[in-house]
Amino acid sequence: MTSTESTPTFAHEDSLPRVPLPTLEESCTRFLEWCAPLLTDDQRAVTEKAVAEFLRAGGPAHTLHAALREYDSTEGVRSWLDRFWPSRYLGRRDRIALNANFFFLFQPSELGQRARAARIIASTVDYKLRLDAEAIPPVMQRGRPLSMDQVKYLFSTTRIPGTTQDTVRAPYSDAEPGPSTARHIVVLSRGHLYRLDVVDPDGRPVSVANLEQGLADVLAATETRAEFPVGHLTTKARAEWAESRAALLRLPGNAEALDTVETALFCVALDDHTPSDTKDACDHLLHGDSGTRWFDKSVSFVVFADGTAGINIEHCGLDGTTVLSFVDTVLTTEVDERESTGTPALAPIEFTLDDALRKDVSSAATAFADYAAATASRLVSFDDIGSTRIKQLNISPDAFMQLAYQLAHKRAKGFLGATYESIATRQYQAGRTEAMRVVTPEIVRFVDVMENPDADVDDRVAAVRAAAEKHVARAKECQAGKAPEQHLWELQLVAARQPELGVDPDLPLYSTPGWTVMRDDYLSTSSAPSENIQYFGFGSTSSHCIGVAYVLLPDRVNIYLSTPEGVAAEMATFAEQLTTAVYELEDLLDPQL
């Protein structure tokens, strides 16, 4: 990705093309094609019958699609997905900590904790002030501008728990027009929260030296761990956290304390943990000390006791590509070392707790610690193969990795399972991602051929090439806004959202084997290519799913795997088989062998 230095940040937003709205027939045809490889003959027959009923002339699906088409053409609506994203992300009722938030582990630094945190803060504030002036250049990809809309959610953005659906408190909104006017961040240390001003009253950024002194003051004031850190409550399931937040608001002083946290530009956690190794650092970025986190903040930097650092991201308004561009800028910005006026203002953020809330905090801490302990993870790294080497094999690097994942899964678990891959669609207005389903007939055949001892080299190479070509073609379909899943899902949400249409959301299609099996992930995959990060990671999406987050670079591939503890042994086998599969494919495609 490149950028255009002199163009205002949001210059292209209104001129970007709109996300195409597929026809009902297109989405249903693709749905049947996409789910078929995962189904038995009987399951396919049941699904095909339900789809035929769904498409029946005059049927309820046409009513729903007409309503969606009307919404898409409404003034002020940027995309037919404008209501989908809040439903998808803010509607989930389980905990977002570990289940939804994702992390990046930054490259190592020789700086200690305070010095590294101060420089990260300073370069992030520099980014924020340039964003306010729309001086962050738009990102370009292959000569096309990408939507910059998501950068509005980087600062002073907080997810607010709700009983049935969450909301978001953010700048650039009707409630808070324009950029955030906040001048402070929240620093968390040993369960304590402190407000630290990072912009002085005249709008000038606080210097690195003065930021470092402010952080030293926080560490000195927090030598004793807080007994009841309120941050633990942000790990709860959303409706339960909403209830706890309401209880907080009933006690004196807590409305002001919450307001300080929610309006803060971002959070910085000064974690007193020293990671034992890289995997330990990744695990602590994903869950870590939940009393020293506020998982609802859109951006939380975490700096460990030895200076190891990374970021934890709340996902509802931010996707990986946006955060990568932001992180790349923050980590490569040379900050001004000048002195500013005095030590930055610093004040504790204090919550009033009664006995019920103290018990609530303690219960939340224990429950999340148990949940995190029941999560297994593993690193897989290839330091002798990356995108450069894979391209030499005349194959798409992403297709190569996805084929290796499928072969490893078959060998580890004995079958191919539904696999999700996130495909960015930021070339559209308010574009985010599309849901790609990886398993195709060509991949099924590829795995069968690779597992057939009688198949010769030519058969195997042909199967690999065909599967890779199909993978690339499907990815391009997703990039072109032609994937079926989110369209069909949004039609179901329209039925629930607009009862006046008289359509039952529980139409037969949504209980078919095709719909349920295709969306029941065994592998959930996403890529984050950046030289500035070591690893990228997220939690599993189901009781049997393995999360596969991979950093695919020219000279290496780093992968973070995560799954529930009950699947840990299978994940370990998958990791071993993945290593074998990658080198097996390399040898197979190497023309010199």
Side-chain angles (χ1 to χ4, degrees):
M1 294 183 183
T2 59
S3 58
T4 307
E5 293 296 336
S6 60
T7 307
T9 306
F10 305 114
H12 299 298
E13 298 305 306
D14 293 338
S15 61
L16 292 174
R18 296 175 68 86
V19 178
L21 176 59
T23 67
L24 265 181
E25 292 73 17
E26 287 171 336
S27 287
C28 286
T29 297
R30 287 196 178 94
F31 164 62
L32 288 174
E33 177 192 342
W34 286 26
C35 69
L38 296 167
L39 305 180
T40 65
D41 290 344
D42 288 345
Q43 289 175 327
R44 273 194 294 272
V46 169
T47 303
E48 288 169 357
K49 182 179 179 181
V51 168
E53 172 60 23
F54 190 75
L55 284 173
R56 175 177 54 84
H62 294 276
T63 301
L64 298 175
H65 186 73
L68 181 57
R69 195 168 56 241
E70 180 181 358
Y71 171 73
D72 189 38
S73 63
T74 303
E75 185 177 355
V77 170
R78 301 168 300 169
S79 164
W80 61 266
L81 290 159
D82 279 0
R83 295 183 301 186
F84 173 80
W85 297 116
S87 296
R88 175 180 174 179
Y89 285 118
L90 299 175
R92 67 179 302 158
R93 300 291 80 204
D94 58 343
R95 64 175 93 237
I96 60 170
L98 208 156
N99 289 342
N101 288 26
F102 60 92
F103 75 84
F104 294 135
L105 172 64
F106 301 158
Q107 291 289 357
S109 167
E110 295 181 358
L111 297 174
Q113 184 180 40
R114 295 195 312 273
R116 191 162 198 201
R119 280 160 178 77
I120 288 173
I121 293 167
S123 55
T124 305
V125 171
D126 175 81
Y127 183 105
K128 195 271 177 189
L129 295 176
R130 287 194 287 140
L131 178 60
D132 290 355
E134 294 199 32
I136 296 295
V139 175
M140 307 289 289
Q141 187 175 52
R142 300 184 187 93
R144 293 187 304 180
L146 300 184
S147 173
M148 297 294 289
D149 192 61
Q150 288 185 37
V151 299
K152 296 176 180 178
Y153 297 97
L154 287 168
F155 300 105
S156 295
T157 298
T158 308
R159 180 171 177 151
I160 308 298
T163 303
T164 58
Q165 180 167 310
D166 292 357
T167 55
V168 176
R169 183 174 181 178
Y172 300 97
S173 62
D174 291 340
E176 301 175 43
S180 168
T181 58
R183 298 187 294 108
H184 70 283
I185 65 171
V186 168
V187 181
L188 300 99
S189 174
R190 297 184 177 92
H192 301 274
L193 293 89
Y194 274 76
R195 172 192 173 125
L196 177 68
D197 282 3
V198 294
V199 178
D200 72 19
D202 295 324
R204 296 175 300 180
V206 173
S207 71
V208 172
N210 286 342
L211 287 172
E212 192 168 346
Q213 182 58 54
L215 297 175
D217 292 344
V218 171
L219 290 170
T222 58
E223 290 182 351
T224 302
R225 182 170 293 276
E227 189 174 3
F228 298 102
V230 176
H232 287 309
L233 297 177
T234 68
T235 67
K236 297 178 70 174
R238 303 310 293 175
E240 295 172 9
W241 169 209
E243 187 176 343
S244 299
R245 185 173 182 274
L248 280 171
L249 288 170
R250 287 193 289 269
L251 295 178
N254 289 341
E256 292 80 4
L258 283 170
D259 184 68
T260 300
V261 174
E262 291 165 8
T263 59
L265 295 174
F266 51 92
C267 283
V268 174
L270 299 177
D271 202 309
D272 60 359
H273 176 69
T274 298
S276 58
D277 54 27
T278 303
K279 188 181 88 70
D280 187 46
C282 290
D283 293 343
H284 276 77
L285 286 171
L286 183 61
H287 44 81
D289 174 8
S290 62
T292 308
R293 306 286 190 273
W294 198 275
F295 286 105
D296 287 358
K297 285 299 287 185
S298 62
V299 170
S300 294
F301 293 101
V302 180
V303 185
F304 296 100
D306 63 350
T308 300
I311 194 170
N312 183 284
I313 297 292
E314 198 285 301
H315 200 358
C316 76
L318 294 168
D319 296 321
T321 58
T322 297
V323 179
L324 269 187
S325 297
F326 165 64
V327 164
D328 284 342
T329 304
V330 165
L331 296 180
T332 57
T333 296
E334 292 294 330
V335 292
D336 191 345
E337 297 284 353
R338 76 191 185 291
E339 286 291 328
S340 61
T341 54
T343 304
L346 176 70
I349 303 170
E350 297 177 335
F351 287 90
T352 302
L353 303 179
D354 57 17
D355 288 342
L357 277 167
R358 292 188 189 98
K359 182 177 179 181
D360 193 10
V361 168
S362 296
S363 297
T366 300
F368 187 66
D370 291 344
Y371 189 72
T375 299
S377 63
R378 192 179 181 102
L379 303 186
V380 180
S381 182
F382 300 92
D383 59 8
D384 55 354
I385 187 170
S387 59
T388 299
R389 171 61 176 150
I390 296 171
K391 288 175 183 177
Q392 291 172 350
L393 305 174
N394 195 29
I395 187 172
S396 154
D398 182 65
F400 179 93
M401 294 306 303
Q402 289 289 346
L403 265 58
Y405 300 149
Q406 298 306 316
L407 186 56
H409 191 273
K410 176 65 181 292
R411 290 172 174 174
K413 292 192 177 182
F415 60 92
L416 291 178
T419 301
Y420 168 90
E421 181 179 7
S422 175
I423 302 293
T425 55
R426 283 178 60 198
Q427 73 272 28
Y428 298 115
Q429 280 190 47
R432 294 199 61 171
T433 59
E434 258 298 355
M436 177 170 167
R437 296 297 168 179
V438 171
V439 179
T440 62
E442 290 80 2
I443 279 182
V444 173
R445 184 175 187 281
F446 150 73
V447 171
D448 288 344
V449 170
M450 293 297 292
E451 294 295 84
N452 180 2
D454 296 327
D456 61 25
V457 170
D458 289 344
D459 287 341
R460 294 184 180 193
V461 170
V464 170
R465 299 289 184 204
E469 288 172 10
K470 180 64 174 180
H471 182 86
V472 170
R474 180 165 291 183
K476 288 180 178 177
E477 276 189 327
C478 292
Q479 290 167 342
K482 295 180 179 179
E485 182 177 340
Q486 291 180 171
H487 178 205
L488 296 177
W489 189 358
E490 173 60 4
L491 293 179
Q492 185 181 34
L493 293 170
V494 168
R497 207 182 286 128
Q498 297 179 240
E500 69 275 11
L501 297 175
V503 178
D504 184 351
D506 295 322
L507 293 169
L509 179 144
Y510 299 108
S511 58
T512 61
W515 186 253
T516 57
V517 172
M518 184 185 77
R519 302 173 74 240
D520 184 16
D521 298 333
Y522 280 84
L523 294 174
S524 179
T525 71
S526 187
S527 173
S530 171
E531 298 281 359
N532 294 302
I533 65 172
Q534 295 185 71
Y535 283 88
F536 156 49
F538 48 82
S540 171
T541 58
S542 76
S543 60
H544 51 243
C545 178
I546 300 174
V548 182
Y550 53 114
V551 179
L552 180 56
L553 296 174
D555 62 341
R556 65 175 51 246
V557 185
N558 287 343
I559 306 169
Y560 180 83
L561 305 175
S562 176
T563 202
E565 184 62 41
V567 193
E570 292 172 308
M571 182 178 69
T573 304
F574 172 79
E576 294 165 2
Q577 293 292 346
L578 178 57
T579 300
T580 300
V582 164
Y583 291 121
E584 187 176 341
L585 289 175
E586 181 188 23
D587 290 346
L588 182 64
L589 298 176
D590 192 335
Q592 298 179 5
L593 296 180

